[in-house]
């Protein structure tokens, strides 16, 4: 029986697990480990689910680049006509390098620098999602220096509880994100009076890994009410951006489908003329990727058995950071007894674990895959312990594209100099 993997294009083949038509063992052979492996088909299918749910509407899906900013991943979405939600000038550069359209870029984030504003204005982005009163003054100034007019939306904080992990909940009053709902009207009036701003839309994003459509519909109700109050004052918006946040299955979660998630929202939007935007990250890439790693050592213990693998918290930080769960599966079947293991990396930190208490039938040298690692995996990786970052490959049918070479150790200290 083929288990039902959260990574949809993963299956059991004759040479062990395969993603689309390529065996993971062959990928490890060619590219080494640890390696992030993505499925192009899974990316396309995830994006198409949004397109289908939004068919017949004036809508733009802006992929949230921070979830996975590899050029290979961005280029797949750019080819599908996606917009992009960025949070830094660096991400804007990546989007353009991957063939993305600046005219479909929205720029979120609480700390945009003047240099980032200049870069985004020069590129001609679609909208700045402004997160504070101070930011409109700075943006107006920078735009006026360049002789440009900056399109803006306020990211409002609708103060709804998304019922998710506190580190990824962003729409409560106590968060640093967005402008308080009751101050928004006043801020729009002020923005409308500034010469180098053009009020274009409104945005909100309440959190991540949302499994219930109710909070986002509640947020949308509040946002639409504000849009109508603005219109009554003669401030007409051309788009409504409801953020990202749809959750995925890591373990036994049952997230709504895109259609189920957007359904209640789209009902609220029926008959409206504004363009509707979304900023999904995790739900587009999370289940399209896995982290392929090799068992270095097995270390049986009195209380716990450890499987020490060649990936670590620097490659995949989510378990250490949020105590996140990733499914761990052996790539090739082994005729040895299954044991329960702590899956840990070589880093000198007790927090360096990838999974707890997993039953695996493996021997040293075997490959294992950590599933659902496409979002906030490579993007949050680091070089802690002078570990070169993993390679990244994109499977496309029977083909494999190396989309990021494994880093070399020399490159890690190329910008440093010892004292003479
Ligand atoms: C992180 C983020 C997103 C994407 O969130 P996901 O949970 O990955 O869909 C969208 N919009 C903004 C403003 C964000 O900060």
């Amino acid at each position: 029986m083929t288990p039902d993997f959260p990574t949809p294009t993963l299956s059991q083949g004759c040479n062990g697990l395969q993603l689309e038509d390529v065996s993971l063992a062959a990928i490890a052979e060619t590219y080494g480990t640890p390696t992030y492996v993505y499925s192009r088909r899974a990316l396309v299918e995830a994006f198409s689910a949004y397109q289908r749910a939004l068919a017949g509407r004036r809508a733009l899906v802006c992929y949230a680049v921070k979830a996975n900013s590899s050029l290979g991943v961005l280029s797949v979405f750019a080819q599908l006509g996606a917009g992009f939600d960025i949070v830094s000038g660096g991400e804007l550069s990546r989007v353009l390098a991957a063939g993305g359209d600046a005219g479909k870029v929205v720029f979120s984030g609480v700390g945009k620098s003047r240099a980032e504003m200049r870069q985004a204005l020069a590129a001609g982005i679609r909208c700045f999602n402004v997160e504070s009163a101070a930011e409109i003054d700075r943006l107006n100034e920078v735009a006026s220096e360049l002789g440009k007019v900056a399109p803006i939306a306020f990211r409002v904080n609708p103060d709804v509880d998304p019922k998710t992990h506190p580190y990824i909940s962003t729409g409560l009053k106590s968060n640093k994100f967005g402008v308080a709902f009751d101050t928004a009207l006043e801020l729009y009036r002020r923005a409308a009076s500034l010469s180098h701003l053009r009020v274009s839309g409104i945005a909100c994003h309440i959190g991540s890994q949302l499994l219930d459509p109710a909070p986002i519909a509640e947020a949308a109700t509040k946002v639409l009410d504000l849009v109508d109050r603005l219109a009554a004052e003669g401030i007409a918006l051309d788009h409504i951006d409801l953020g990202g946040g749809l959750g995925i299955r890591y373990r036994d979660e049952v997230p709504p489908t895109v259609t189920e998630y957007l359904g209640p929202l789209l009902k609220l939007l029926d008959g409206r003329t504004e363009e509707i935007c979304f900023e999904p990250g995790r739900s587009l890439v999370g289940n399209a990727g896995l982290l392929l790693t090799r068992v270095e050592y097995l270390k049986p213990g009195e209380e716990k058995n450890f499987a020490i693998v060649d990936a670590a918290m620097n490659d995949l930080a989510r378990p250490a950071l949020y105590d996140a769960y990733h499914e761990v599966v052996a790539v090739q079947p082994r005729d040895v007894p299954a044991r329960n293991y702590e899956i840990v990396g070589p880093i000198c930190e007790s927090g360096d674990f990838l999974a707890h208490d997993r039953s695996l039938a493996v021997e040293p040298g075997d490959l294992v895959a950590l599933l659902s690692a496409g979002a906030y995996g490579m993007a949050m990786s680091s070089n802690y312990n002078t570990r070169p970052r993993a390679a990244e490959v994109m499977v496309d049918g029977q083909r494999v594209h190396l989309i990021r070479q494994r880093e070399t150790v020399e490159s890690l200290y190329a910008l440093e100099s010892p004292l003479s």
Side-chain angles (χ1 to χ4, degrees):
M1 188 194 91
T2 306
D4 176 21
F5 298 118
T7 296
T9 50
L10 186 68
S11 63
Q12 202 62 249
C14 52
N15 189 18
L17 291 179
Q18 60 181 53
L19 196 62
E20 300 194 24
D21 303 327
V22 181
S23 86
L24 296 182
I27 289 172
E29 187 65 37
T30 309
Y31 301 100
T33 52
T35 292
Y36 274 99
V37 189
Y38 309 110
S39 159
R40 180 179 188 166
R41 193 192 306 153
L43 294 175
V44 171
E45 279 173 10
F47 189 80
S48 306
Y50 277 89
Q51 286 181 313
R52 276 196 303 276
L54 295 167
R57 299 190 185 246
R58 209 153 71 81
L60 182 63
V61 178
C62 295
Y63 166 61
V65 174
K66 75 175 192 285
N68 186 322
S69 56
S70 290
L71 296 194
V73 170
L74 298 179
S75 66
V76 170
F77 291 131
Q79 285 161 24
L80 294 169
F84 295 91
D85 169 44
I86 60 165
V87 292
S88 71
E91 287 189 351
L92 176 55
S93 298
R94 281 181 175 276
V95 166
L96 299 179
D101 178 352
K104 294 181 181 173
V105 168
V106 299
F107 191 172
S108 307
V110 296
K112 300 176 195 80
S113 69
R114 286 173 192 276
E116 287 175 320
M117 288 174 172
R118 278 193 290 270
Q119 182 192 356
L121 283 166
I125 66 163
R126 168 68 189 274
C127 193
F128 288 84
N129 289 351
V130 173
E131 305 218 17
S132 65
E135 191 184 329
I136 43 171
D137 292 325
R138 179 184 279 192
L139 184 56
N140 187 57
E141 239 174 71
V142 173
S144 111
E145 283 160 20
L146 293 183
K148 302 223 178 230
V149 174
I152 65 132
F154 280 101
R155 175 173 175 184
V156 297
N157 188 334
D159 197 30
V160 302
D161 183 356
K163 306 187 185 85
T164 185
H165 191 287
Y167 285 12
I168 49 178
S169 144
T170 53
L172 283 168
K173 269 192 182 153
S174 51
N175 292 124
K176 71 176 175 183
F177 299 102
V179 300
F181 209 76
D182 3 324
T183 65
L185 215 50
E186 196 47 50
L187 287 168
Y188 270 105
R189 287 184 193 122
R190 188 166 151 59
S193 77
L194 294 175
S195 57
H196 288 80
L197 301 185
R198 178 171 63 80
V199 171
S200 168
I202 190 164
C204 80
H205 169 75
I206 60 170
S208 204
Q209 185 56 13
L210 310 179
L211 297 171
D212 174 0
I216 179 88
E218 187 190 335
T221 305
K222 290 190 169 180
V223 166
L224 291 177
D225 181 56
L226 189 54
V227 173
D228 293 338
R229 273 155 53 204
L230 287 166
E233 293 203 14
I235 302 177
L237 304 186
D238 59 44
H239 75 273
I240 299 171
D241 177 344
L242 294 167
L246 173 58
I248 62 169
R249 175 157 75 93
Y250 286 100
R251 185 179 193 170
D252 49 10
E253 301 91 338
V254 187
T257 63
V258 174
T259 304
E260 287 164 352
Y261 183 69
L262 296 186
L265 274 181
L266 295 178
K267 266 218 180 69
L268 295 172
L269 292 160
D270 268 342
R272 301 196 71 109
T273 54
E274 299 91 349
E275 181 172 45
I276 159 138
C277 306
F278 293 96
E279 304 169 350
R282 189 189 313 268
S283 56
L284 290 181
V285 292
N287 279 332
L290 57 84
L291 176 58
L292 183 60
T293 178
R294 199 179 283 282
V295 177
E296 292 277 10
Y297 298 96
L298 293 179
K299 191 171 171 183
E302 261 177 41
E303 288 187 8
K304 287 176 172 174
N305 303 312
F306 293 92
I308 301 162
V309 299
D310 64 6
M313 65 186 286
N314 74 297
D315 299 300
L316 181 62
R318 299 186 69 258
L321 198 55
Y322 314 116
D323 208 14
Y325 183 98
H326 288 270
E327 204 73 72
V328 183
V329 289
V331 167
Q332 283 161 318
R334 255 292 173 206
D335 199 14
V336 295
R339 280 219 181 86
N340 279 32
Y341 291 102
E342 297 291 300
I343 315 293
V344 302
I347 285 184
C348 298
E349 297 266 351
S350 296
D352 181 24
F353 64 87
L354 297 170
H356 294 302
D357 202 24
R358 302 302 174 79
S359 172
L360 283 175
V362 288
E363 293 206 66
D366 285 1
L367 294 165
V368 298
L370 287 120
L371 307 186
S372 312
Y376 307 106
M378 185 65 177
M380 292 176 98
S381 65
S382 78
N383 295 117
Y384 190 38
N385 279 208
T386 306
R387 289 172 49 84
R389 252 176 276 238
E392 291 179 289
V393 302
M394 177 88 63
V395 173
D396 182 6
Q398 301 183 346
R399 292 197 298 168
V400 182
H401 303 273
L402 177 61
I403 59 170
R404 193 180 206 268
Q405 296 176 31
R406 185 176 309 287
E407 285 176 345
T408 62
V409 168
E410 296 69 32
S411 76
L412 303 189
Y413 54 77
L415 301 178
E416 304 174 27
S417 15
L419 295 189
S420 54

